Amino acid sequence: MKYYVSAKAARNGDGSKERPFQTITCAAKIAAAGDEVIVAPGVYREYVNPVHAGVEGAPVVYRSEVPLGAVITGAEEVKNWENYEGDVWVARIPNGIFGTYNPYTVLVKGDWYDETIKPVHTGEVYLNGKAMYEAVTMDKVLHPEVDHSSWDPEGTVYTWYTVQEGNNTVIYANFQGADPTKENVEINVRRNCFYPDKTGVNYITLSGFVVKQAATQWAPPTAYQEGMVGPHWSKGWIIEDCEISDSRCSGISLGKYLQPNNDNKWTTRYYKDGTQTERDAICQAQVEGWTKENIGHHIVRRCNIHDCGQTGIVGHLGGVFSVIEDNHIHHINNKQDLAGAEIGGIKMHAAIDVIYRRNHIHHCTRGLWLDWQAQGTRVTQNLFHDNVPPKGTKICNNLALAEDIFIEVSHGPTLIDNNLLLSNCSCRISTQGIALVHNLIAGSFTWVGDGTDNGAQSLPSNRYTPYHMPHRTEVAGFMTILHGDARFYNNVFVQQPVREDLTEYAKSENLETQFTFVCGTKPYDGYPTEEAYRAQFTPKSIVDHGHKDFYYDHMPVYTGGNVYYNGAQPCNTEENCIVDTEHPIWWNLKESDGAMILETNLYEYLPEFETPFISTEYLGEAFEPEQKFENPDGTPIFFDSDYRGTHRGIHPLSGPFETKEGTICLK
């Protein structure tokens, strides 16, 4: 059955092509498995609650008739502005429009949210589609100052402030000379845009929509994780060819359902630490049906996700067995008015058997953050760049000196292959069970061997995190992070100039050990080889009650086929590598006709030598889960194709490209 929707239709439509529904909500109330809802171009100011689930092979499909022609927005226009003083205007909005959720009385808050930055609401004010900056006092609206903690400091003088007067929300806004009665000024009034209000609404496809401007709440792993768009704890969603933007917190959520007894428990009850409440949430979810058969298996593809406050995509537990591919994710958390440990272009916990491929992720406060339970996770053929604050930005917390990829307290296997990691900091590695294969790496590895305890000053506070049965959600065990268990094969490391502002920040925060800026595997100096590590374990040593340190010491690092330029440095146990100190390597990334182009002289000097051919068998097993670096279905991976799909030879070139070109199209 096909149902038709048009914003221009009469209100008494029946969903036929001749008499379409006026709202998507009308169709969402009746569309069932196998049905398709076709939405004509127009602006739909509504919260769409898909009521009925599809089934495997027969989803409920919501499709924009013209790609990006149908706009679902959580915002409403505000026309009743009156001049208050100078460039400052005032508008009064009756609270009835908000229903039970007023974004201008609800503060952003939750576990791991840093409330010390400044108190802000889940509401926003938009001038011609661009979010303005909330001020905490009226004076900051009357006399705004440039805030260099934003990635767009010039925009920070567009400020607004809100108070409650009777049954009205009053908003004062400094439009910097623009006349709001003539420009497009909107405020977000709805919490979500396309999101079921109940769990288990499986097999929904959302295709070709613009979705924007929702008043979402902070989404930590120990809370109900909402997004502007999302499946709300279900299975088999497809979100494709959409433009997702301007969610106050998260654009797409593949995350956790509401556990009433564990909803922001850390910051509401205080006594049990956040790490423990997260362990509780994981175990509770298992009892309540978190299985491969019930949850996850989503696809997010070909979406343009940008200008969200917390994350482009967020998820804990609910995103398992998913594929996130061919997306453009950019300009996330650039306002820097939200801060905390849940920020990134993509921030996912428990990315079990999740594949991230062919995404372009840039200008985000952290590109991809894989936190806890990255197991069977593969990050392949992605382009990362400019995921560190621009020069001149005031860095206001130690999470904002970001990187392309952060892997945290996971036991693996986590596979990172055939990527371009071009930010000043390429990877933050507070984890183990990883393999980096055939990447071009221009930034440093930070926090190696660090960042895995829980912050106690005088008592041990190791974080015990779970690992799972291979390709399942069932917990197999809990363990701390020993570090190491890392593989680096056939990568190209090109040291780029070290930014003085980044080193000064690290020095000022006493984090020089954690924030290293030397490109290469150098931070793994002193880690054992496999032979040295295994030699410690003998029939005598394992029963020696006086010495068990080797069970808790760093694990091996495996290397081979890496090439180093411009001062990039290998670790002191590196094997079969080439360090080129003779040829300076340059590279430049630019956009041309919608495609990203890499220009470089690297392939004039990249040597051909006996690099290893890498496969699942060559990489071995991640230590704790005893699981191979393999496909989600358990079949082996052969790294016989490069970033663009070109076939590799027996002794492949190091790096992500098998062909030697000076100009490389990265489409």
Side-chain angles (χ1 to χ4, degrees), residues 490-529:
N490 296 353
N491 301 288
V492 173
F493 294 91
V494 180
Q495 176 76 56
Q496 59 182 301
V498 178
R499 277 173 45 184
E500 185 177 349
D501 62 319
L502 300 184
T503 59
E504 285 299 315
Y505 166 77
K507 184 177 180 180
S508 68
E509 296 294 319
N510 197 28
L511 294 172
E512 291 175 284
T513 301
Q514 291 84 355
F515 284 113
T516 55
F517 296 101
V518 175
C519 182
T521 59
K522 183 69 173 174
Y524 284 95
D525 274 0
Y527 280 68
T529 62

Side-chain angles (χ1 to χ4, degrees), residues 218-239:
W218 184 253
T222 49
Y224 164 54
Q225 283 189 313
E226 66 176 356
M228 187 162 58
V229 177
H232 192 182
W233 199 249
S234 62
K235 183 178 181 181
W237 275 47
I238 298 174
I239 303 169

Side-chain angles (χ1 to χ4, degrees), residues 1-7 14-17 20-41 44 46 48-54 58-66 70 72 194 203-209 240:
M1 184 75 179
K2 290 186 178 181
Y3 297 101
Y4 292 86
V5 179
S6 174
D14 58 12
S16 64
K17 193 170 186 178
F21 290 130
Q22 191 180 69
T23 67
I24 306 170
T25 295
C26 288
K29 289 179 179 179
I30 60 174
D35 291 343
E36 184 175 11
V37 177
I38 301 172
V39 183
Y44 298 84
E46 56 179 304
V48 181
N49 175 21
V51 175
H52 302 292
V60 183
V61 177
Y62 295 80
R63 188 182 310 281
S64 175
E65 184 180 37
V66 175
I72 305 173
F194 191 96
Y203 297 105
I204 301 290
T205 295
L206 183 72
S207 183
F209 288 84
E240 63 181 10

Side-chain angles (χ1 to χ4, degrees), residues 298-342:
H298 307 301
I299 299 172
V300 180
R301 62 190 175 200
R302 301 187 301 272
C303 291
N304 179 12
I305 306 170
H306 61 93
D307 290 290
C308 298
Q310 179 190 341
T311 64
I313 302 174
V314 74
H316 182 211
L317 307 176
V320 290
F321 314 111
S322 294
V323 176
I324 297 173
E325 62 184 2
D326 298 304
N327 299 290
H328 185 194
I329 302 174
H330 56 104
H331 297 92
I332 302 297
N333 189 239
N334 285 182
K335 290 174 70 177
Q336 293 279 291
D337 60 345
L338 303 183
E342 305 302 326

Side-chain angles (χ1 to χ4, degrees), residues 36 62 76 118 143 303 314 318 320 349 363 414 454 550 652 654:
E36 184 175 11
Y62 295 80
E76 294 288 344
K118 67 177 182 179
H143 309 288
C303 291
V314 74
V320 290
H349 292 72
H363 291 91
T414 304
N454 214 30
F550 47 76
S654 299

Side-chain angles (χ1 to χ4, degrees), residues 67-348:
L68 305 182
V71 179
I72 305 173
T73 175
E76 294 288 344
E77 295 177 304
V78 178
K79 299 291 189 181
N80 62 327
W81 293 98
E82 298 177 357
N83 188 254
Y84 178 76
E85 178 181 321
D87 291 333
V88 178
W89 297 67
V90 62
R92 288 171 173 80
I93 297 96
N95 286 340
I97 196 171
F98 303 118
T100 60
Y101 180 85
N102 185 339
Y104 303 92
T105 62
V106 176
L107 293 174
V108 176
K109 62 181 180 179
D111 290 353
W112 286 280
Y113 179 67
D114 187 352
E115 297 182 12
T116 65
I117 300 301
K118 67 177 182 179
V120 293
H121 293 91
T122 59
E124 296 256 55
V125 178
Y126 304 91
L127 174 61
N128 296 324
K130 186 173 182 178
M132 299 172 63
Y133 288 73
E134 183 176 2
V136 296
T137 65
M138 185 63 187
D139 184 65
K140 294 296 184 182
V141 177
L142 293 169
H143 309 288
E145 298 177 351
V146 173
D147 183 355
H148 288 281
S149 64
S150 169
W151 291 28
D152 175 28
E154 292 79 12
T156 61
V157 295
Y158 290 83
T159 56
W160 61 274
Y161 175 72
T162 185
V163 294
Q164 293 292 303
E165 291 183 2
N167 292 320
N168 291 312
T169 291
V170 182
I171 296 176
Y172 300 87
N174 191 324
F175 294 107
Q176 294 295 318
D179 184 343
T181 65
K182 298 178 181 178
E183 308 293 338
N184 178 30
V185 180
E186 299 169 285
I187 62 170
N188 52 9
V189 302
R190 286 173 284 278
R191 186 167 181 166
N192 314 107
C193 287
F194 191 96
Y195 199 93
D197 66 358
K198 62 183 180 181
T199 62
V201 183
N202 299 333
Y203 297 105
I204 301 290
T205 295
L206 183 72
S207 183
F209 288 84
V210 172
V211 189
K212 62 181 183 177
Q213 298 170 325
T216 49
Q217 181 58 280
W218 184 253
T222 49
Y224 164 54
Q225 283 189 313
E226 66 176 356
M228 187 162 58
V229 177
H232 192 182
W233 199 249
S234 62
K235 183 178 181 181
W237 275 47
I238 298 174
I239 303 169
E240 63 181 10
D241 301 308
C242 292
E243 181 176 0
I244 309 286
S245 74
D246 294 283
S247 174
R248 186 64 179 106
C249 289
S250 293
I252 296 173
S253 172
L254 305 179
K256 192 173 76 64
Y257 64 108
L258 176 63
Q259 296 173 320
N261 64 320
N262 193 358
D263 185 46
N264 290 305
K265 188 175 181 179
W266 179 26
T267 51
T268 56
R269 304 189 196 178
Y270 306 116
Y271 301 116
K272 186 177 283 191
D273 186 83
T275 293
Q276 184 61 30
T277 61
E278 188 167 342
R279 281 189 287 262
D280 291 350
I282 293 162
C283 293
Q284 180 181 340
Q286 294 218 302
V287 174
E288 295 179 346
W290 180 50
T291 68
K292 186 174 185 177
E293 289 71 29
N294 293 338
I295 300 298
H297 305 270
H298 307 301
I299 299 172
V300 180
R301 62 190 175 200
R302 301 187 301 272
C303 291
N304 179 12
I305 306 170
H306 61 93
D307 290 290
C308 298
Q310 179 190 341
T311 64
I313 302 174
V314 74
H316 182 211
L317 307 176
V320 290
F321 314 111
S322 294
V323 176
I324 297 173
E325 62 184 2
D326 298 304
N327 299 290
H328 185 194
I329 302 174
H330 56 104
H331 297 92
I332 302 297
N333 189 239
N334 285 182
K335 290 174 70 177
Q336 293 279 291
D337 60 345
L338 303 183
E342 305 302 326
I343 285 171
I346 302 174
K347 172 65 195 285
M348 286 186 69

